[in-house]
Amino acid sequence: MNNIVTVQTAVTAFADWIEPTNAELDAIELESPLILAEVDLLDAQIKAMDHPENEVDTRRIRRARNRVLNARRDLANRTVGASTAGGAA
């Protein structure tokens, strides 16, 4: 008995719309410092869940939150500067 298999995945695996565009890759690269800061914050929060709260964990989480806020500020400033760079404002 021969199995009937669809070839849709083989046909659509190489479609242009599956890969991210250059603009999407640029946006990911622009947001990567914020993404990494958020991952660090999540790691600090996960480490703090394993045991009772202590001063080291509190400082680690506070510093990670500050890095997230700084990364968000930098990203917002970069996107505002990029959108008004045309000079029409």
Side-chain angles (χ1 to χ4, degrees):
M1 176 177 187
N2 292 333
N3 293 333
I4 299 173
V5 181
T6 62
V7 293
Q8 179 179 3
T9 55
V11 173
T12 59
F14 302 106
D16 292 338
W17 52 267
I18 289 179
E19 296 295 323
T21 63
N22 288 337
E24 291 170 335
L25 291 173
D26 290 341
I28 292 170
E29 185 177 339
L30 184 68
E31 293 176 3
S32 65
L34 175 59
I35 293 168
L36 294 174
E38 289 175 339
V39 168
D40 289 342
L41 175 59
L42 186 60
D43 286 343
Q45 291 170 336
I46 289 171
K47 287 178 186 176
M49 290 189 327
D50 289 341
H51 52 272
E53 183 177 334
N54 59 37
E55 185 63 28
V56 173
D57 289 334
T58 303
R59 279 188 266 154
R60 182 181 294 130
I61 291 172
R62 184 178 62 238
R63 289 179 184 151
R65 282 186 183 143
N66 287 337
R67 284 191 296 273
V68 168
L69 291 174
N70 290 337
R72 284 182 183 168
R73 181 199 60 220
D74 294 343
L75 180 63
N77 288 340
R78 269 189 258 141
T79 54
V80 166
S83 64
T84 59

